[in-house]
Amino acid sequence: MARLVRMGIDVGGTHTKAVAIDNQTQEIIGKSSVKTTHDHPNGVAEGVVRSFQNCLRENKIRPNDIVFVAHSTTQATNALIEGDVAKVGVIGMSKGGIEGFLAKRQTRLNDIDLGNNKKINISNAFLTLKQLDEKRVYEVISSLENEHAEVLVSSMAFGVDNSEPEQLVYRIATEKNIPTTMASDITKLYGLTRRTRTAAINASILPKMLDTATSTERSVRDAGVDVSLMIMRGDGGVMEISEMKKRPVLTMLSGPAASVMGSLMYLRASNGVYFEVGGTTTNIGVIKNGRPAIDYSIVGGHPTYISSLDVRVLGVAGGSMVRADRSGIVDVGPRSAHIAGLDYAVFTPEEAIKEPKVVFFSPRPGDPADYVKVVLADGKEVTITNTCAANVLGLVNKEHFSYGNVSSAYQAIKALADYCQVSVETIATQIMEKAYAKIEPVILELADKYQLEKDQISLVGVGGGAASLITYFSNQMGVKYSIPENAEVISSIGVALAMVRDVVERIIPSPSKEEIQSLKNEAIQKAIESGATSESIEVHVEIDPQTSKVTAIATGSTEVKTTDLTKEITVSEGLALAAEDLRITPAEVTLLEKTAFFYVYGEKDRQKDKGAIRILDKKGFIKVQRGHASCKKTTAKNYLASVELLWEEMAVYQTEIIARPEFYLCLGARISDFSATTLEQLQLLMDLEIATLAPEEEVIIVAGNIKQT
């Protein structure tokens, strides 16, 4: 039987890396890397194709073995950062009267500031429904073309309820070969100005993204691969290239998304703060309940309806250079060795480190003049980085990608230590302290925003420079850490194993069961359009009581789901894993409940059946971590009585509010999580999931809340 192969390609700032993975076992078959082709006429698409073809050739993979191929892309983000955008013509529409007066103001956009003296230029037009016929639309489009608009946006007041006017503009513009975005295609949320602005950002990058998508798709076809080419989205899913051509803005931050999804394939914990550590920047985000934290992106200071990972990007990473004076280390970063064109001392042969002398300089015009480089006897210049300091302090192990020549790093840092009249260890520690001081507030802010309990957090390091930061940070914070296997190509792995993801959002005050089911069906349909098979799709529904926003998140796989051949763990093996995660001995842990698919463990010394809980699947992955929770086992037909009991038992009464618990239901082979402000709303959401089970099927219910002090 021929092997089936999944191919993932990640476009990084320096390298484009391809990874081939066995579809059945998820084992890595081969890797290939090329320099990212920023300056090629085909842009980064050329590097995608080169790495793909090299990986096929080097690992003797036949084109017809490929069942899945996807790549992340920096194109959308880079186009906005660099101002490589088209002028946008916005056609606003509405009924007349006061609605028309307000809609005309709300769809009239100013130029969108992108920073760095870059902007999206906007031309505006407006039509009332009385004026809306083909002739008038042709005239308005021609007028916008005369103002040099290259792409169009059609945005109708309440277009989320009736998109026919937007579709009329789209049809006529398409006949004239003008790329066009319908605002209602981007989001189904109300908020006319925000929806129109999001559509304008999407439209502005359409020409650039269409060129890249077309050339990449053509090259993959020329290589003999017939499966659909998938693109990584910024929220962690993938979509077919045909969908990307309509909504390219959804690929913003697809690089960090790829690394997160790769981490989830190896991560045994369900809650964590992850670091993607490169040479110049570190991306930091949150995984909660096994899913990455998602938020709306802000472009040019303006909120949008673009869902992407909630990521913080900091200019301190593995290759960050140090700034110093006689007193010691002044700062670390943001300039990196890569930007300055210097090698890391730790990656320099020991015999080359002769007569090292400290020289202070400005890496780029306008930079401070106290960055450190080390000039060697032969005139070669190297620099001191976070990676150098971490190696000297013994924080990097041999198996880590950032492990280097400790002696070389020591000699380079000694030159600076002698200048400052302190020890090498003092300088190395100061370097790590400066890096930690920049990143710790970001970790704490994200942990607070997403209400992560500190004792449930695991730091997850990915990227080639992960070990240069995470070990020190873990020691300082007193939390667990992990660096997944193949961390340096984790993004490519994430692309190769990613699921299709699509989201539908609506504002629905007091939603009924029928309205939520309709929303779920729409999310399923969108996921199918993005490339998922119908039988693989699962839908998670969230209700925001503050805004009445109902969100349906559909995830599914392309073709038949990958078979996971990992051996199932025993009860005792699961107990040992839970104890390790709880940081207690196995003797202090007990099995609370189990089903055919899950084990639930808790502390033996539980007060009134409440305490720390871990839910593990039979493959040994920790799906839920709660520091204060209670657990009950029941059946599908009797589940509500247990939920009502836990709703009251796990409530925490605070000064002005009652904090209600979050619920986790083990339903067959999946876990669904729920939160709501009323019991009626909670039942509404749960009923939709429970309805898929047989009445006598076992259900485990876990309710978790903050511990009352």
Side-chain angles (χ1 to χ4, degrees), residues 428-460:
T429 301
Q430 287 178 358
I431 292 171
M432 300 310 298
E433 286 173 346
K434 291 293 184 182
Y436 179 66
K438 288 186 172 184
I439 291 180
E440 182 204 25
V442 176
I443 298 173
L444 296 178
E445 184 263 323
L446 284 169
D448 181 63
K449 178 177 180 179
Y450 292 102
Q451 298 181 322
L452 295 180
E453 300 166 88
K454 185 179 176 182
D455 62 343
Q456 313 304 309
I457 296 176
S458 173
L459 300 184
V460 185

Side-chain angles (χ1 to χ4, degrees), residues 86-145:
K87 183 172 182 178
V88 180
V90 176
I91 302 176
M93 296 166 286
S94 82
K95 298 176 182 177
I98 187 66
E99 181 182 309
F101 173 77
L102 294 173
K104 186 174 183 178
R105 294 178 60 183
Q106 291 170 341
T107 58
R108 186 174 185 83
L109 301 182
N110 296 321
D111 292 347
I112 299 173
D113 181 16
L114 299 174
N116 298 320
N117 297 315
K118 307 291 185 181
K119 62 183 178 180
I120 301 173
N121 291 309
I122 307 286
S123 287
N124 293 280
F126 187 79
L127 292 169
T128 62
L129 291 187
K130 288 183 179 179
Q131 301 170 307
L132 201 65
D133 57 39
E134 290 194 7
K135 180 182 177 183
R136 183 63 180 135
V137 170
Y138 266 107
E139 291 173 352
V140 169
I141 292 176
S142 297
S143 174
L144 290 170
E145 284 184 292

Side-chain angles (χ1 to χ4, degrees), residues 459-644:
L459 300 184
V460 185
V462 297
S468 64
L469 296 181
I470 196 169
T471 309
Y472 183 84
F473 290 8
S474 171
N475 292 339
Q476 291 297 108
M477 297 189 73
V479 298
K480 303 183 294 290
Y481 82 91
S482 63
I483 300 176
E485 185 182 358
N486 298 303
E488 74 279 6
V489 290
I490 204 76
S491 296
S492 301
I493 294 170
V495 177
L497 298 179
M499 304 279 279
V500 173
R501 186 183 194 276
D502 229 307
V503 180
V504 176
E505 300 172 307
R506 287 276 199 288
I507 303 298
I508 310 176
S510 304
S512 66
K513 184 182 296 186
E514 291 72 24
E515 287 173 319
I516 293 177
Q517 188 60 57
S518 175
L519 205 66
K520 288 182 67 174
N521 292 340
E522 186 176 345
I524 290 169
Q525 187 58 43
K526 289 181 76 69
I528 291 171
E529 291 171 2
S530 290
T533 58
S534 58
E535 67 274 10
S536 72
I537 296 172
E538 294 183 357
V539 183
H540 172 72
V541 178
E542 299 173 352
I543 299 177
D544 186 335
Q546 304 297 322
T547 62
S548 297
K549 182 179 73 173
V550 185
T551 304
I553 305 167
T555 55
S557 61
T558 60
E559 44 81 44
V560 180
K561 278 192 175 182
T562 302
T563 302
D564 185 354
L565 300 182
T566 305
K567 175 180 171 290
E568 288 193 358
I569 61 170
T570 64
V571 171
S572 59
E573 289 170 337
L575 188 143
L577 289 170
E580 180 183 2
D581 194 66
L582 287 164
R583 295 190 174 186
I584 55 181
T585 66
E588 298 173 281
V589 180
T590 186
L591 177 69
L592 300 177
E593 296 291 355
K594 68 175 182 176
T595 67
F597 301 96
F598 298 102
Y599 298 125
V600 183
Y601 297 95
E603 299 167 299
K604 276 186 178 177
D605 185 20
R606 297 167 60 79
Q607 302 298 316
K608 298 181 180 178
D609 292 328
K610 300 172 187 176
I613 274 182
R614 299 292 185 268
I615 303 179
L616 277 71
D617 66 16
K618 292 294 180 76
K619 307 300 181 184
F621 286 84
I622 300 173
K623 310 302 290 186
V624 173
Q625 298 165 282
R626 293 306 301 240
H628 183 65
S630 188
C631 168
K632 294 189 182 298
K633 188 175 182 180
T634 181
T635 60
K637 71 176 181 181
N638 296 321
Y639 92 93
L640 187 56
S642 295
V643 168
E644 289 174 341

Side-chain angles (χ1 to χ4, degrees), residues 134-179:
E134 290 194 7
K135 180 182 177 183
R136 183 63 180 135
V137 170
Y138 266 107
E139 291 173 352
V140 169
I141 292 176
S142 297
S143 174
L144 290 170
E145 284 184 292
N146 290 336
E147 295 180 37
H148 307 293
E150 304 163 75
V151 293
L152 297 176
V153 165
S154 60
S155 184
M156 170 73 185
F158 301 103
V160 296
D161 300 321
N162 176 19
S163 64
E164 288 184 9
E166 292 183 5
Q167 292 173 16
L168 174 62
V169 173
Y170 180 85
R171 177 173 61 79
I172 295 172
T174 301
E175 291 173 4
K176 293 171 65 67
N177 292 317
I178 303 173

Side-chain angles (χ1 to χ4, degrees), residues 232-287:
M232 197 82 193
R233 291 164 51 125
D235 61 8
V238 290
M239 59 183 177
E240 282 192 347
I241 200 165
S242 57
E243 279 297 300
M244 190 276 273
K245 290 176 179 178
K246 292 191 294 186
R247 299 182 288 166
V249 75
L250 298 184
T251 67
M252 283 178 59
L253 290 176
S254 79
S259 68
V260 177
M261 302 318 292
S263 300
L264 289 174
M265 304 304 166
Y266 291 92
L267 183 64
R268 287 194 177 272
S270 60
N271 295 317
V273 176
Y274 63 84
F275 299 72
E276 183 192 19
V277 187
T280 303
T281 59
T282 294
N283 300 319
I284 304 175
V286 162
I287 296 167

